[in-house]
C-alpha cells in the first residue's frame, strides 16, 4: 500500500521538478540577456565625450529667457541682498532722527543728619531750539534716499552684467557649433585626401597635413566647449547659484540691439543712476550743513521739582531754566567741515555728469562701430570667404587645387566666422554698458531687429 502511494505521487513530483528546472532556465536566459545589454550600454557610452547621456541634473529644462535671468539675479544676487539690507537699516536713522531728547530725573540730598536733612527731586526736560529735530530728520531721510539710489545703481549694474553674460553664453554656443562644423569639415577633407592617396592621385604628405589640420581643429573644439562652460558658470554666478544646470537659453546671439542716436541719449543722463546718486549726495550734505547750523543755537533745559526739608517739615516747589552760553564752542569747526563737504559734493556731481556724458558717447560709438563691422562681415566678408572655400573644395575634389589651397580657404572662412562671433559679443557688451550707464531695461534685446 505504501509502495502504491509512492508510485501514484511520483509523476506529480517529477512534473514539479520539471517546472522548477524550466523556470530556472528562463531566469538564467533573462539574466544573461540583461547583463549583455548592460555591458553593451556601458561599452557604448563615451567617457568624458560630448555625447554623454543626460541625467536628471543635466536634462533640458524650460528655456531661460533674458528677462527671467535678470529676475533671478535681482532675487538671488548677494550684493543686491546686502544693498537691500542697507536700505532697510536707514529706516532706523529716520526713526532715530524723529525721536525727541529724553527727560532727566535728578535727586539730591543735603546734610546726612535726619533732623536737618533736605531732599530734592527734580525733572529736567531738554527743549531743542533752532530746528535741530527737523534738520536731523531731513538728513536721515536723505541718507535713506541715498541708499535707495545706491540700490538702484547696483540693480542697473547687475542687469547689465547679466545681459552681457547671457549673450556671452549665446555667442559661446554659436562658437561651439562653428567648431563642431569645422571638425566635421576637417574630417571630411581628411577622408577625401585619404581616398585620393589610396588612388595614387596625391602624395601621402597631403594626408599628413590634413590629419594635422584636423587635430588642430579638434583642439579648437575643446577650447570652445570649455569657453561655453565658463560662460555658463559666470552667468549662473550672477544669478546667485553655485551649480550650473544644463539650461537652454532663448534667442540668438545674432539678434543685435539697435544703435540709438546720441541726441536721444543725452537727455537720459540727468536721470541716470550715477547722476541721481551724486545729486542726492549734494542734498544730503546740504541737510547735514543745516543740521550743524542748527546746533549753533543752544538748547534750553527746563527743570521742575520739589524740595523737602526735615527741619521745617515743609515741601518747596522748584522751577528752573538752564541755557548754555556759546562763548567758546559755537560749533564753528563742524559747520566749516559741513560746508566744505557740501562744496565737494557739488564738484563731484559736476564731475559725474561730465564723465557720464563721455562714457555714454564712447559706449554708443563703440556699439555703432561694431554694428558697422558686423554688417560688413555679414554682407561682404562671410559670403566671399564661404564662396572661396566651397570653390576650393570642389576644385580639390576635381583635382584642380592642392590641399594647401583648400586648407587656406577653410582657415580664412572660419577665421572670418570667429571674428563675426567676437564682434557679436562685443556689440552686446557695448549695449550692456549703455544700459548700465543710463539704468535702462534689457528685456527688448532678444526681439531687437538684426542690423
Amino acid at each position: 500500500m505504501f509502495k502504491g502511494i509512492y508510485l501514484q505521487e511520483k509523476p506529480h513530483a517529477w512534473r514539479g521538478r520539471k517546472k522548477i528546472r524550466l523556470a530556472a532556465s528562463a531566469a538564467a536566459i533573462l539574466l544573461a540577456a540583461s547583463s549583455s545589454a548592460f555591458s553593451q550600454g556601458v561599452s557604448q557610452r563615451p567617457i568624458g565625450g560630448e555625447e554623454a547621456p543626460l541625467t536628471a541634473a543635466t536634462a533640458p529644462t524650460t528655456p531661460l529667457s533674458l528677462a527671467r535671468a535678470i529676475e533671478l539675479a535681482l532675487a538671488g544676487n548677494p550684493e543686491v541682498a546686502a544693498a537691500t539690507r542697507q536700505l532697510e537699516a536707514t529706516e532706523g536713522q529716520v526713526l532715530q532722527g524723529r525721536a525727541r531728547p529724553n527727560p532727566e530725573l535728578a535727586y539730591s540730598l543735603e546734610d546726612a543728619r535726619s533732623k536737618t536733612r533736605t531732599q530734592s527731586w527734580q525733572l529736567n526736560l531738554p527743549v531743542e531750539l533752532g530746528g535741530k529735530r527737523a534738520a536731523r530728520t531731513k538728513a536721515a531721510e536723505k541718507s535713506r534716499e541715498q541708499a535707495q539710489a545706491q540700490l538702484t545703481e547696483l540693480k542697473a549694474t547687475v542687469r547689465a552684467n547679466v545681459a552681457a553674460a547671457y549673450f556671452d553664453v549665446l555667442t559661446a554656443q554659436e562658437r561651439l557649433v562653428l567648431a563642431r562644423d569645422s571638425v566635421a569639415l576637417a574630417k571630411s577633407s581628411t577622408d577625401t585626401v585619404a581616398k585620393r592617396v589610396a588612388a595614387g592621385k596625391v602624395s601621402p604628405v597631403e594626408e599628413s597635413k590634413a590629419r594635422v589640420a584636423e587635430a588642430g581643429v579638434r583642439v579648437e573644439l575643446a577650447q570652445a566647449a570649455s569657453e561655453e562652460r565658463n560662460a555658463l558658470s559666470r552667468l549662473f554666478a550672477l544669478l546667485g547659484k553655485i551649480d550650473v544646470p544644463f539650461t537652454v537659453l532663448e534667442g540668438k546671439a545674432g539678434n543685435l540691439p539697435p544703435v540709438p542716436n546720441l541726441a536721444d541719449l543725452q537727455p537720459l543722463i540727468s536721470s541716470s543712476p550715477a547722476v541721481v546718486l551724486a545729486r542726492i549726495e549734494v542734498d544730503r550734505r546740504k541737510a547735514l550743513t543745516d543740521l550743524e547750523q542748527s546746533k549753533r543755537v543752544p538748547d534750553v533745559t527746563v527743570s521742575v521739582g520739589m524740595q523737602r526739608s526735615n527741619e521745617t517739615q515743609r515741601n518747596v516747589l522748584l522751577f528752573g531754566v538752564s541755557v548754555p552760553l556759546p562763548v567758546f564752542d559755537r560749533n564753528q569747526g563742524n559747520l566749516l567741515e559741513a560746508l566744505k563737504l557740501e562744496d565737494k559734493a557739488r564738484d563731484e556731481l559736476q564731475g559725474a555728469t561730465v564723465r557720464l556724458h563721455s562714457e555714454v558717447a564712447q559706449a554708443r560709438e563703440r556699439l555703432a562701430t561694431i554694428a558697422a563691422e558686423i554688417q560688413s562681415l555679414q554682407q561682404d566678408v562671410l559670403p566671399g570667404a564661404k564662396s572661396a572655400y566651397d570653390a576650393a573644395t570642389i576644385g580639390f575634389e576635381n583635382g584642380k587645387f592642392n590641399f594647401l589651397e583648400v586648407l587656406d580657404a577653410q582657415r580664412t572662412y572660419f577665421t572670418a566666422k570667429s571674428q563675426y562671433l567676437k564682434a557679436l559679443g562685443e556689440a552686446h557688451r557695448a549695449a550692456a554698458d549703455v544700459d548700465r550707464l543710463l539704468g535702462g531695461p534689457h528685456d527688448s534685446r532678444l526681439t531687437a531687429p538684426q542690423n
Side-chain angles (χ1 to χ4, degrees):
M1 183 176 180
F2 179 78
K3 184 177 181 181
I5 295 175
Y6 173 76
L7 292 176
Q8 186 178 0
E9 292 180 354
K10 185 176 180 179
H12 296 282
W14 178 80
R15 284 196 298 267
R17 286 194 295 269
K18 183 177 181 181
K19 292 179 180 179
I20 293 174
R21 293 194 193 97
L22 291 176
S25 302
I29 293 174
L30 290 176
L31 181 60
S34 60
S35 62
S36 176
F38 177 77
S39 62
Q40 290 178 2
V42 172
S43 61
Q44 292 177 0
R45 179 180 301 177
I47 300 176
E50 302 172 8
E51 304 296 333
L54 298 177
T55 61
T58 60
T61 57
T62 304
L64 179 65
S65 63
L66 178 59
R68 179 58 179 165
I70 293 175
E71 180 181 354
L72 291 175
L74 295 179
N77 189 275
E79 296 181 0
V80 175
T84 304
R85 297 294 180 267
Q86 179 65 30
L87 176 60
E88 295 173 354
T90 56
E91 295 291 341
Q93 298 181 11
V94 177
L95 183 63
Q96 187 65 31
R98 294 172 181 172
R100 298 181 183 274
N102 294 323
E104 179 183 359
L105 179 62
Y107 170 79
S108 62
L109 175 65
E110 298 179 8
D111 199 346
R113 294 174 296 178
S114 61
K115 292 183 179 181
T116 58
R117 180 181 302 169
T118 301
Q119 303 180 66
S120 301
W121 292 269
Q122 188 172 345
L123 182 64
N124 302 325
L125 181 62
V127 179
E128 290 183 320
L129 300 178
K132 293 183 180 64
R133 180 169 174 265
R136 187 171 60 246
T137 303
K138 185 177 180 181
E141 291 175 349
K142 291 301 178 181
S143 297
R144 180 177 59 186
E145 293 180 9
Q146 185 183 42
Q148 179 64 52
Q150 290 174 350
L151 178 60
T152 302
E153 184 182 28
L154 180 59
K155 286 183 177 181
T157 302
V158 170
R159 286 196 299 266
N161 292 338
V162 170
Y166 187 91
F167 285 99
D168 282 344
V169 173
L170 291 178
T171 305
Q173 291 177 351
E174 293 286 344
R175 188 175 291 109
L176 181 60
V177 172
L178 174 64
R180 288 173 178 170
D181 293 342
S182 179
V183 168
L185 291 175
K187 188 176 184 305
S188 177
S189 300
T190 303
D191 295 340
T192 303
V193 172
K195 292 179 181 179
R196 298 195 65 185
V197 169
K201 296 182 179 180
V202 295
S203 171
V205 178
E206 301 290 336
E207 183 178 0
S208 300
K209 294 179 181 179
R211 296 193 181 280
V212 170
E214 181 181 353
V217 173
R218 290 188 181 277
V219 171
E220 294 179 359
L221 175 61
Q223 294 176 352
S226 176
E227 184 178 351
E228 184 200 22
R229 290 190 296 269
N230 291 334
L232 280 171
S233 179
R234 289 191 298 269
L235 174 62
F236 282 91
L238 292 173
L239 303 186
K241 298 181 181 297
I242 300 177
D243 299 331
V244 182
F246 181 83
T247 306
V248 180
L249 304 185
E250 290 184 356
K252 296 181 179 180
N255 294 335
L256 294 179
V259 181
N261 296 325
L262 186 59
D264 297 335
L265 298 179
Q266 297 295 338
L268 302 177
I269 294 178
S270 60
S271 60
S272 63
V275 174
V276 171
L277 183 60
R279 190 182 300 116
I280 292 177
E281 177 64 14
V282 172
D283 297 339
R284 190 179 75 89
R285 288 297 175 182
K286 180 65 170 59
L288 291 175
T289 301
D290 296 339
L291 177 60
E292 298 298 334
Q293 184 71 31
S294 66
K295 292 180 180 179
R296 295 174 64 104
V297 179
D299 297 335
V300 176
T301 302
V302 179
S303 302
V304 178
M306 183 185 67
Q307 187 180 62
R308 171 74 177 179
S309 176
N310 292 348
E311 185 177 3
T312 60
Q313 294 295 317
R314 296 181 58 185
N315 296 330
V316 180
L317 181 64
L318 300 178
F319 179 78
V321 177
S322 63
V323 180
L325 300 178
V327 178
F328 304 107
D329 183 9
R330 298 186 302 274
N331 202 36
Q332 61 271 25
N334 293 333
L335 180 59
L336 178 61
E337 180 186 9
L339 289 172
K340 295 304 179 181
L341 291 178
E342 183 181 348
D343 295 339
K344 176 190 174 185
R346 288 194 175 92
D347 295 338
E348 290 177 348
L349 172 60
Q350 183 178 3
T353 304
V354 174
R355 182 178 65 254
L356 198 62
H357 275 275
S358 176
E359 291 178 355
V360 169
Q362 293 178 19
R364 187 263 170 197
E365 183 64 25
R366 188 167 68 254
L367 177 59
T369 302
I370 297 173
E373 178 184 356
I374 291 174
Q375 184 177 4
S376 176
L377 289 171
Q378 287 178 340
Q379 295 180 356
D380 301 328
V381 179
L382 287 177
K386 185 66 168 59
S387 177
Y389 172 69
D390 294 339
T393 303
I394 295 175
F396 175 74
E397 293 176 353
N398 295 329
K400 297 181 179 180
F401 300 108
N402 57 24
F403 182 72
L404 287 179
E405 294 174 339
V406 177
L407 186 61
D408 183 66
Q410 179 183 356
R411 187 181 299 109
T412 301
Y413 171 66
F414 284 105
T415 300
K417 190 72 173 179
S418 299
Q419 183 181 0
Y420 168 71
L421 294 176
K422 181 180 179 181
L424 286 178
E426 292 293 334
H428 289 296
R429 279 189 287 272
D433 288 339
V434 174
D435 292 338
R436 175 182 57 81
L437 295 172
L438 300 178
H442 304 264
D443 299 346
S444 60
R445 300 277 299 280
L446 288 176
T447 58
Q450 184 175 354
N451 292 338

